[in-house]
Protein backbone atom coordinates (compact mmCIF):
# COMPACT_ATOMS: atom_id res chain seq x y z
CA UNK A 1 0.00 0.00 0.00
CA UNK A 2 1.55 3.38 -0.99
CA UNK A 3 1.87 6.10 1.64
CA UNK A 4 -0.99 8.57 1.80
CA UNK A 5 -0.13 11.97 0.31
CA UNK A 6 -1.57 15.36 1.25
CA UNK A 7 -1.60 17.55 -1.83
CA UNK A 8 -2.11 21.32 -1.42
CA UNK A 9 -4.11 22.61 -4.38
CA UNK A 10 -4.59 26.42 -4.53
CA UNK A 11 -7.83 27.01 -6.41
CA UNK A 12 -7.67 30.78 -6.58
CA UNK A 13 -4.52 32.81 -6.16
CA UNK A 14 -6.15 36.22 -5.65
CA UNK A 15 -8.10 37.00 -2.50
CA UNK A 16 -9.88 35.19 -1.08
CA UNK A 17 -7.46 32.29 -0.99
CA UNK A 18 -9.28 29.03 -1.66
CA UNK A 19 -7.28 25.87 -1.10
CA UNK A 20 -8.18 22.19 -1.45
CA UNK A 21 -6.21 19.79 0.73
CA UNK A 22 -6.53 16.59 -1.25
CA UNK A 23 -5.60 13.24 0.25
CA UNK A 24 -4.77 10.29 -1.97
CA UNK A 25 -5.25 7.48 -2.63
CA UNK A 26 -8.93 7.36 -1.70
CA UNK A 27 -9.05 4.92 1.21
CA UNK A 28 -10.61 4.19 4.58
CA UNK A 29 -9.94 7.15 6.89
CA UNK A 30 -8.38 9.21 4.10
CA UNK A 31 -10.49 12.32 3.48
CA UNK A 32 -10.09 15.73 1.89
CA UNK A 33 -10.29 19.07 3.63
CA UNK A 34 -9.48 22.65 2.62
CA UNK A 35 -9.69 26.27 3.65
CA UNK A 36 -10.88 29.70 2.60
CA UNK A 37 -9.05 32.75 3.89
CA UNK A 38 -9.93 36.40 4.00
CA UNK A 39 -8.24 39.41 5.56
CA UNK A 40 -9.41 38.63 9.09
CA UNK A 41 -10.48 35.00 9.31
CA UNK A 42 -9.83 31.58 7.83
CA UNK A 43 -12.41 28.82 7.49
CA UNK A 44 -11.08 25.27 7.65
CA UNK A 45 -13.37 22.67 6.12
CA UNK A 46 -12.98 19.44 8.10
CA UNK A 47 -10.01 18.10 10.05
CA UNK A 48 -8.32 14.70 9.82
CA UNK A 49 -8.75 11.37 11.55
CA UNK A 50 -5.51 11.40 13.56
CA UNK A 51 -3.56 13.89 15.63
CA UNK A 52 -0.49 13.78 13.38
CA UNK A 53 -2.44 14.35 10.17
CA UNK A 54 -4.42 17.20 11.74
CA UNK A 55 -1.26 18.90 13.02
CA UNK A 56 0.24 18.66 9.52
CA UNK A 57 -2.95 20.19 8.10
CA UNK A 58 -2.87 23.04 10.61
CA UNK A 59 0.78 23.79 9.85
CA UNK A 60 -0.13 24.22 6.20
CA UNK A 61 -3.15 26.36 7.02
CA UNK A 62 -1.00 28.65 9.15
CA UNK A 63 1.71 28.77 6.47
CA UNK A 64 -0.85 30.18 4.04
CA UNK A 65 -3.20 32.06 6.37
CA UNK A 66 -0.99 33.14 9.27
CA UNK A 67 -2.65 33.70 12.64
CA UNK A 68 -6.06 34.69 11.35
CA UNK A 69 -9.04 33.78 13.51
CA UNK A 70 -10.00 30.16 12.88
CA UNK A 71 -13.45 28.71 12.23
CA UNK A 72 -13.69 24.98 11.55
CA UNK A 73 -16.66 23.65 9.60
CA UNK A 74 -17.39 19.95 10.08
CA UNK A 75 -19.23 18.64 7.04
CA UNK A 76 -20.54 15.55 8.89
CA UNK A 77 -19.85 13.35 11.89
CA UNK A 78 -17.59 10.65 10.52
CA UNK A 79 -14.29 10.30 12.33
CA UNK A 80 -11.95 10.97 9.40
CA UNK A 81 -13.57 14.41 9.08
CA UNK A 82 -13.96 15.51 12.71
CA UNK A 83 -11.60 13.49 14.94
CA UNK A 84 -9.02 16.27 14.87
CA UNK A 85 -11.39 19.06 15.89
CA UNK A 86 -10.14 19.21 19.47
CA UNK A 87 -6.57 19.34 18.12
CA UNK A 88 -7.48 22.16 15.71
CA UNK A 89 -9.06 24.23 18.50
CA UNK A 90 -6.27 23.83 21.06
CA UNK A 91 -5.19 27.42 20.47
CA UNK A 92 -8.71 28.81 20.18
CA UNK A 93 -11.36 29.20 17.54
CA UNK A 94 -14.88 27.98 16.96
CA UNK A 95 -16.55 25.18 15.02
CA UNK A 96 -19.79 24.75 13.10
CA UNK A 97 -21.77 21.55 12.53
CA UNK A 98 -25.24 20.56 11.44
CA UNK A 99 -27.72 19.83 14.26
CA UNK A 100 -27.85 16.17 13.27
CA UNK A 101 -24.08 15.87 13.75
CA UNK A 102 -23.67 18.17 16.75
CA UNK A 103 -23.78 15.57 19.54
CA UNK A 104 -21.29 13.24 17.87
CA UNK A 105 -18.93 16.11 17.05
CA UNK A 106 -19.03 17.40 20.62
CA UNK A 107 -18.50 13.89 21.98
CA UNK A 108 -15.12 13.78 20.29
CA UNK A 109 -13.07 11.29 18.30
CA UNK A 110 -14.58 8.15 16.80
CA UNK A 111 -12.06 5.36 16.29
CA UNK A 112 -14.56 2.56 15.53
CA UNK A 113 -12.78 -0.21 17.40
CA UNK A 114 -15.16 -2.80 15.95
CA UNK A 115 -14.14 -1.79 12.41
CA UNK A 116 -10.46 -0.80 12.51
CA UNK A 117 -7.21 -1.76 14.17
CA UNK A 118 -4.74 1.11 14.46
CA UNK A 119 -1.83 2.19 16.66
CA UNK A 120 -1.26 5.79 15.49
CA UNK A 121 -4.29 7.80 16.54
CA UNK A 122 -2.10 10.11 18.63
CA UNK A 123 -3.63 12.31 21.32
CA UNK A 124 -7.16 13.14 20.26
CA UNK A 125 -9.50 15.06 22.54
CA UNK A 126 -13.05 16.31 22.17
CA UNK A 127 -13.52 20.01 21.51
CA UNK A 128 -14.79 22.30 24.24
CA UNK A 129 -18.59 21.93 23.91
CA UNK A 130 -19.22 25.69 23.99
CA UNK A 131 -16.90 26.14 20.97
CA UNK A 132 -19.15 24.07 18.66
CA UNK A 133 -22.25 25.75 17.25
CA UNK A 134 -25.11 24.44 15.12
CA UNK A 135 -25.86 25.68 11.62
CA UNK A 136 -29.37 25.54 10.27
CA UNK A 137 -30.23 26.85 6.85
CA UNK A 138 -27.78 29.26 5.24
CA UNK A 139 -25.04 30.94 7.29
CA UNK A 140 -22.64 33.47 5.70
CA UNK A 141 -19.26 33.95 7.34
CA UNK A 142 -17.64 37.35 6.86
CA UNK A 143 -13.91 36.70 6.52
CA UNK A 144 -12.92 40.29 5.87
CA UNK A 145 -13.01 41.17 2.14
CA UNK A 146 -14.28 37.64 1.48
CA UNK A 147 -17.15 35.36 2.47
CA UNK A 148 -17.89 31.70 2.88
CA UNK A 149 -21.39 30.27 2.90
CA UNK A 150 -21.96 27.36 5.27
CA UNK A 151 -25.19 25.64 4.34
CA UNK A 152 -27.09 22.81 6.00
CA UNK A 153 -28.23 20.10 3.60
CA UNK A 154 -31.99 19.57 3.82
CA UNK A 155 -33.09 16.22 5.23
CA UNK A 156 -31.04 13.06 5.62
CA UNK A 157 -28.51 12.42 2.84
CA UNK A 158 -25.03 10.94 3.39
CA UNK A 159 -25.79 11.29 7.11
CA UNK A 160 -28.47 12.90 9.24
CA UNK A 161 -26.34 16.05 9.57
CA UNK A 162 -24.49 17.22 6.46
CA UNK A 163 -23.06 20.67 5.71
CA UNK A 164 -21.49 22.09 2.56
CA UNK A 165 -19.29 25.17 2.18
CA UNK A 166 -19.48 27.47 -0.85
CA UNK A 167 -17.08 30.26 -1.81
CA UNK A 168 -19.25 32.45 -4.05
CA UNK A 169 -16.60 34.43 -5.95
CA UNK A 170 -14.82 31.41 -7.37
CA UNK A 171 -17.87 29.13 -7.33
CA UNK A 172 -15.99 26.51 -5.30
CA UNK A 173 -18.14 23.99 -3.43
CA UNK A 174 -16.75 21.79 -0.66
CA UNK A 175 -19.25 18.92 -0.66
CA UNK A 176 -18.11 16.70 2.17
CA UNK A 177 -19.01 13.10 1.36
CA UNK A 178 -22.12 14.01 -0.61
CA UNK A 179 -19.76 13.67 -3.58
CA UNK A 180 -16.84 11.25 -3.73
CA UNK A 181 -14.74 10.48 -6.80
CA UNK A 182 -12.96 7.18 -7.43
CA UNK A 183 -14.07 5.67 -4.13
CA UNK A 184 -17.14 3.63 -3.18
CA UNK A 185 -19.47 5.89 -1.15
CA UNK A 186 -20.69 4.92 2.32
CA UNK A 187 -24.46 5.12 2.73
CA UNK A 188 -25.22 3.10 5.85
CA UNK A 189 -25.71 6.17 8.08
CA UNK A 190 -27.93 8.09 5.66
CA UNK A 191 -30.74 7.74 3.14
CA UNK A 192 -30.44 6.82 -0.52
CA UNK A 193 -33.55 8.78 -1.63
CA UNK A 194 -32.49 11.70 0.55
CA UNK A 195 -29.00 11.62 -0.95
CA UNK A 196 -30.44 11.76 -4.47
CA UNK A 197 -32.57 14.75 -3.45
CA UNK A 198 -29.47 16.41 -1.98
CA UNK A 199 -27.52 16.02 -5.23
CA UNK A 200 -30.32 17.76 -7.15
CA UNK A 201 -30.42 20.47 -4.48
CA UNK A 202 -26.64 21.01 -4.68
CA UNK A 203 -26.66 21.46 -8.43
CA UNK A 204 -29.73 23.69 -8.51
CA UNK A 205 -28.66 25.84 -5.54
CA UNK A 206 -24.97 26.41 -6.24
CA UNK A 207 -24.21 25.51 -9.87
CA UNK A 208 -20.57 25.08 -8.76
CA UNK A 209 -17.63 25.76 -11.04
CA UNK A 210 -15.25 23.68 -8.92
CA UNK A 211 -16.04 20.71 -6.67
CA UNK A 212 -13.89 19.64 -3.74
CA UNK A 213 -15.27 16.18 -2.90
CA UNK A 214 -14.96 14.47 0.45
CA UNK A 215 -12.74 11.85 -1.16
CA UNK A 216 -10.96 11.95 -4.51
CA UNK A 217 -9.55 14.62 -6.82
CA UNK A 218 -10.86 18.14 -7.38
CA UNK A 219 -13.41 18.31 -10.21
CA UNK A 220 -13.84 21.17 -12.66
CA UNK A 221 -16.71 22.15 -15.00
CA UNK A 222 -17.93 19.34 -17.19
CA UNK A 223 -16.88 16.64 -14.74
CA UNK A 224 -19.33 13.78 -14.32
CA UNK A 225 -19.10 13.62 -10.52
CA UNK A 226 -22.75 14.45 -9.84
CA UNK A 227 -23.94 12.15 -12.61
CA UNK A 228 -21.75 9.26 -11.44
CA UNK A 229 -23.06 9.55 -7.89
CA UNK A 230 -26.64 9.69 -9.11
CA UNK A 231 -26.26 6.66 -11.39
CA UNK A 232 -24.85 4.60 -8.53
CA UNK A 233 -27.49 5.58 -5.99
CA UNK A 234 -30.32 5.01 -8.46
CA UNK A 235 -28.86 1.59 -9.29
CA UNK A 236 -28.90 0.66 -5.59
CA UNK A 237 -32.61 1.41 -5.41
CA UNK A 238 -33.40 -0.31 -8.69
CA UNK A 239 -31.71 -3.62 -7.93
CA UNK A 240 -33.00 -3.88 -4.35
CA UNK A 241 -36.60 -3.27 -5.33
CA UNK A 242 -37.21 -7.02 -5.63
CA UNK A 243 -33.88 -8.68 -4.79
CA UNK A 244 -32.38 -9.46 -1.39
CA UNK A 245 -29.25 -11.43 -2.33
CA UNK A 246 -26.98 -8.59 -1.30
CA UNK A 247 -23.80 -10.63 -1.73
CA UNK A 248 -24.64 -11.36 -5.37
CA UNK A 249 -25.64 -7.75 -5.99
CA UNK A 250 -22.40 -6.50 -4.39
CA UNK A 251 -20.43 -8.63 -6.86
CA UNK A 252 -22.40 -7.03 -9.68
CA UNK A 253 -21.57 -3.58 -8.32
CA UNK A 254 -17.86 -4.41 -8.19
CA UNK A 255 -17.99 -5.45 -11.84
CA UNK A 256 -19.96 -2.38 -12.86
CA UNK A 257 -17.65 0.05 -11.01
CA UNK A 258 -14.31 -1.79 -11.18
CA UNK A 259 -12.19 1.34 -10.71
CA UNK A 260 -13.71 2.29 -7.37
CA UNK A 261 -11.67 1.55 -4.27
CA UNK A 262 -13.12 -0.22 -1.24
CA UNK A 263 -15.77 -2.35 -2.99
CA UNK A 264 -16.62 -4.04 0.32
CA UNK A 265 -18.83 -1.02 1.00
CA UNK A 266 -21.29 -2.02 -1.73
CA UNK A 267 -23.02 -4.62 0.41
CA UNK A 268 -23.77 -2.15 3.21
CA UNK A 269 -25.09 0.36 0.68
CA UNK A 270 -27.38 -2.28 -0.81
CA UNK A 271 -28.74 -3.10 2.63
CA UNK A 272 -29.40 0.61 3.20
CA UNK A 273 -31.18 0.95 -0.15
CA UNK A 274 -33.39 -2.07 0.55
CA UNK A 275 -34.36 -0.74 3.97
CA UNK A 276 -35.06 2.75 2.63
CA UNK A 277 -37.45 1.74 -0.09
CA UNK A 278 -39.24 -0.99 1.85
CA UNK A 279 -39.88 1.19 4.89
CA UNK A 280 -37.65 -0.83 7.21
CA UNK A 281 -35.17 0.29 9.82
CA UNK A 282 -31.64 -0.66 8.89
CA UNK A 283 -29.61 -2.48 11.52
CA UNK A 284 -26.44 -0.44 10.99
CA UNK A 285 -24.32 -2.83 13.06
CA UNK A 286 -25.45 -5.71 10.85
CA UNK A 287 -24.58 -3.69 7.73
CA UNK A 288 -21.12 -2.91 9.13
CA UNK A 289 -20.61 -6.60 9.92
CA UNK A 290 -21.46 -7.43 6.28
CA UNK A 291 -18.94 -4.84 5.06
CA UNK A 292 -16.23 -6.30 7.30
CA UNK A 293 -17.04 -9.83 6.16
CA UNK A 294 -16.61 -8.66 2.55
CA UNK A 295 -13.30 -7.02 3.53
CA UNK A 296 -12.05 -10.18 5.20
CA UNK A 297 -12.26 -8.88 8.76
CA UNK A 298 -11.35 -5.74 10.66
CA UNK A 299 -9.43 -3.23 8.57
CA UNK A 300 -5.79 -2.65 9.54
CA UNK A 301 -5.24 1.09 9.24
CA UNK A 302 -1.54 0.76 10.03
CA UNK A 303 -1.21 -1.00 6.68
CA UNK A 304 -3.72 1.19 4.84
CA UNK A 305 -2.30 4.54 5.94
CA UNK A 306 1.37 3.47 5.97
CA UNK A 307 2.62 6.26 8.20
CA UNK A 308 0.61 9.07 6.62
CA UNK A 309 0.92 11.89 5.76
CA UNK A 310 3.55 12.59 3.11
CA UNK A 311 3.13 16.16 1.84
CA UNK A 312 3.32 17.23 -1.76
CA UNK A 313 2.76 20.72 -3.15
CA UNK A 314 1.04 21.31 -6.48
Amino acid sequence: MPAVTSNIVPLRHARPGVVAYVKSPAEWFVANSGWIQGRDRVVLIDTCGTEQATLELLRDVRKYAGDRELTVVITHAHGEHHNGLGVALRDGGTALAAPGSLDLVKAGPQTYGNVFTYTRWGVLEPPEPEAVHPVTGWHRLDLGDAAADVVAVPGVAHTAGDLVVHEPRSGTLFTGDLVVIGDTPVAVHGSIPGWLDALDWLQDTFRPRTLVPGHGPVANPGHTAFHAMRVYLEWLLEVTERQTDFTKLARQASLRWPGWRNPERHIGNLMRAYADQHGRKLDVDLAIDAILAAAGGRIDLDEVLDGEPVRQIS
Side-chain angles (χ1 to χ4, degrees):
M1 171 71 196
V4 173
T5 62
S6 301
N7 204 8
I8 299 171
V9 184
L11 300 177
R12 193 163 182 245
H13 297 282
R15 286 187 176 180
V18 183
V19 176
Y21 197 79
V22 178
K23 293 287 195 75
S24 62
E27 256 297 354
W28 287 102
F29 250 77
V30 177
N32 296 337
S33 50
W35 61 89
I36 303 166
Q37 69 185 61
R39 182 187 61 246
D40 303 321
R41 300 172 69 182
V42 58
V43 175
L44 172 62
I45 300 98
D46 284 337
T47 62
C48 304
T50 68
E51 180 190 33
Q52 178 193 4
T54 300
L55 289 172
E56 291 282 350
L57 168 62
L58 290 170
R59 289 188 191 110
D60 286 328
V61 172
R62 291 309 183 191
K63 181 174 65 180
Y64 274 71
D67 292 328
R68 291 172 174 85
E69 181 182 347
L70 177 68
T71 299
V72 183
V73 176
I74 300 299
T75 60
H76 62 287
H78 282 161
E80 69 268 33
H81 297 269
H82 79 89
N83 273 7
L85 182 58
V87 177
L89 299 183
R90 283 173 181 170
D91 295 325
T94 57
L96 302 174
S101 292
L102 200 65
D103 288 344
L104 281 172
V105 171
K106 286 184 175 182
Q110 295 171 283
T111 56
Y112 312 103
N114 62 319
V115 180
F116 303 111
T117 60
Y118 196 42
T119 61
R120 302 173 184 170
W121 296 112
V123 179
L124 293 168
E125 67 268 21
E128 294 295 330
E130 62 273 13
V132 186
H133 306 283
V135 170
T136 58
W138 194 294
H139 182 68
R140 172 156 288 191
L141 293 173
D142 181 2
L143 309 181
D145 75 6
D149 292 322
V150 182
V151 189
V153 178
V156 178
H158 172 60
T159 70
D162 296 307
L163 293 178
V164 296
V165 180
H166 184 244
E167 196 286 295
R169 292 186 191 174
S170 65
T172 301
L173 182 66
F174 293 83
T175 69
D177 285 2
L178 291 169
V179 177
V180 299
I181 298 173
D183 198 17
T184 306
V186 177
V188 295
H189 296 114
S191 161
I192 304 295
W195 200 334
L196 284 164
D197 289 343
L199 291 174
D200 290 338
W201 172 81
L202 284 177
Q203 285 190 290
D204 293 343
T205 302
F206 300 102
R207 300 189 181 279
R209 293 192 289 275
T210 302
L211 286 177
V212 182
H215 304 259
V218 171
N220 294 311
H223 196 281
T224 61
F226 279 118
H227 177 70
M229 291 291 299
R230 187 175 289 107
V231 167
Y232 177 66
L233 296 174
E234 289 175 345
W235 179 86
L236 292 174
L237 292 175
E238 177 185 347
V239 297
T240 56
E241 185 175 357
R242 294 184 178 86
Q243 300 181 62
T244 58
D245 188 341
F246 302 126
T247 300
K248 178 181 177 181
L249 292 172
R251 287 197 294 268
Q252 293 178 14
S254 296
L255 292 172
R256 184 162 179 170
W257 289 277
W260 285 6
R261 300 182 71 91
N262 305 304
E264 63 271 12
R265 298 172 182 171
H266 289 305
I267 193 166
N269 296 341
L270 288 157
M271 294 169 72
R272 162 56 68 191
Y274 181 85
D276 285 346
Q277 67 178 333
H278 292 281
R280 301 185 180 184
K281 181 178 175 61
L282 176 67
D283 185 330
V284 174
D285 290 337
L286 190 63
I288 295 296
D289 287 344
I291 291 171
L292 291 179
R298 282 201 298 170
I299 295 160
D300 182 357
L301 289 181
D302 284 301
E303 179 180 352
V304 168
L305 302 183
D306 193 22
E308 70 113 7
V310 175
R311 287 188 288 171
Q312 296 180 346
I313 308 297
S314 71

